């Protein structure tokens, strides 16, 4: 619904039932002024295939929202996948990763991913609002876009990482362990 005329919103969805249910019970995509489409399949495989075919998507924003359950798709947070995201973003693009999770602290992984890409990361938390049914959420924004990072809304609202937080932890396709990110 946030989309404006001239915008394109593409959703990568692994479960075709989600797309069907969203069309049947919700009107967010059909009410949007933006062009919207849903691509069914594993986002990483699809993005990799598009890149192999010379089709970098050149996204302004790439939002990854797949980590709130207890069975997270680790392959979407590895250094190799981060490099893939980077190749699909414009030079000033934003990689947004929703890391809210009751069981896992994905801050060290996203911080390490930003460091590996040579970009900066900021953490933005939204507050819960019982009156509107909005849950709190933790997002990491990874970007090389200094102009975006210097905007007062971003600069004033981001949460700095504490000195006592776990050190960055880079996951790879060959090694990623949940033990180090379990929230005790």
């Amino acid at each position: 619904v946030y989309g404006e005329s001239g915008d394109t919103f593409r959703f990568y969805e692994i479960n075709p039932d989600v797309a069907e249910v969203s069309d049947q019970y919700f009107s967010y995509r059909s009410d949007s002024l933006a062009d919207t489409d849903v691509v069914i399949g594993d986002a990483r495989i699809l993005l990799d295939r598009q890149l192999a075919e010379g089709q970098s998507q050149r996204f302004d924003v790439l939002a990854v929202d797949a980590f709130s359950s207890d069975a997270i798709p680790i392959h979407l947070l590895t250094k190799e996948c981060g490099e893939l995201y980077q190749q699909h973003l414009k030079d000033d693009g934003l990689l947004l990763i929703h890391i809210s999770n009751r069981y896992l602290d994905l801050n060290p992984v996203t911080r390490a991913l930003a460091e590996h890409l040579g970009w900066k990361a900021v953490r933005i938390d939204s507050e819960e609002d019982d009156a509107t049914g909005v849950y709190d959420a933790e997002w990491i924004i990874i970007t090389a876009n200094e102009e975006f990072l210097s905007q007062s809304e971003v600069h004033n609202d981001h949460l700095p990482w504490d000195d006592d937080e776990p050190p960055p932890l880079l996951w790879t396709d060959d090694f990623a362990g949940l033990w180090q990110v379990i929230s005790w």
Side-chain angles (χ1 to χ4, degrees):
V1 169
Y2 290 115
E4 298 177 2
S5 182
D7 290 344
T8 299
F9 279 50
R10 176 166 301 125
F11 300 89
Y12 294 88
E13 176 55 55
I14 198 165
N15 185 345
D17 292 337
V18 169
E20 185 178 319
V21 167
S22 74
D23 286 340
Q24 185 175 1
Y25 296 104
F26 301 97
S27 62
Y28 297 115
R29 286 191 295 115
S30 63
D31 289 346
S32 178
L33 296 176
D35 292 328
T36 64
D37 67 322
V38 177
V39 182
I40 302 298
D42 184 293
R44 178 163 176 191
I45 292 170
L46 294 169
L47 288 169
D48 195 40
R49 185 177 303 141
Q50 289 168 336
L51 202 58
E53 295 169 354
Q55 299 172 2
S56 171
Q57 300 303 298
R58 306 285 298 148
F59 293 123
D60 293 309
V61 176
L62 177 56
V64 183
D65 187 3
F67 306 109
S68 57
S69 75
D70 57 346
I72 68 165
I74 290 173
H75 72 291
L76 296 179
L77 284 177
T78 64
K79 78 177 183 91
E80 293 84 358
C81 193
E83 292 165 359
L84 181 64
Y85 297 147
Q86 192 174 45
Q87 293 175 71
H88 276 288
L89 283 163
K90 291 182 177 176
D91 291 340
D92 62 349
L94 307 174
L95 175 59
L96 282 59
I97 304 176
H98 180 207
I99 64 166
S100 300
N101 191 290
R102 289 189 294 176
Y103 309 107
L104 304 171
D105 177 8
L106 298 174
N107 273 296
V109 178
T110 53
R111 288 174 58 204
L113 187 59
E115 287 178 8
H116 172 74
L117 297 175
W119 289 359
K120 293 191 172 129
V122 294
R123 179 174 53 177
I124 305 286
D125 285 356
S126 63
E127 305 236 347
E128 187 170 318
D129 184 353
D130 289 332
T132 59
V134 173
Y135 295 105
D136 60 335
E138 184 174 5
W139 285 84
I140 305 299
I141 303 171
I142 300 173
T143 186
N145 187 333
E146 295 289 342
E147 182 180 337
F148 172 82
L149 293 171
S150 68
Q151 291 180 21
S152 61
E153 297 90 346
V154 176
H155 184 71
N156 295 338
D157 290 340
H158 86 277
L159 297 172
W161 280 280
D162 298 326
D163 292 336
D164 62 344
E165 294 205 37
L169 175 66
L170 187 62
W171 283 349
T172 68
D173 286 347
D174 294 326
F175 178 80
L178 294 178
W179 186 255
Q180 296 155 307
V181 297
I182 292 175
S183 295
W184 296 101

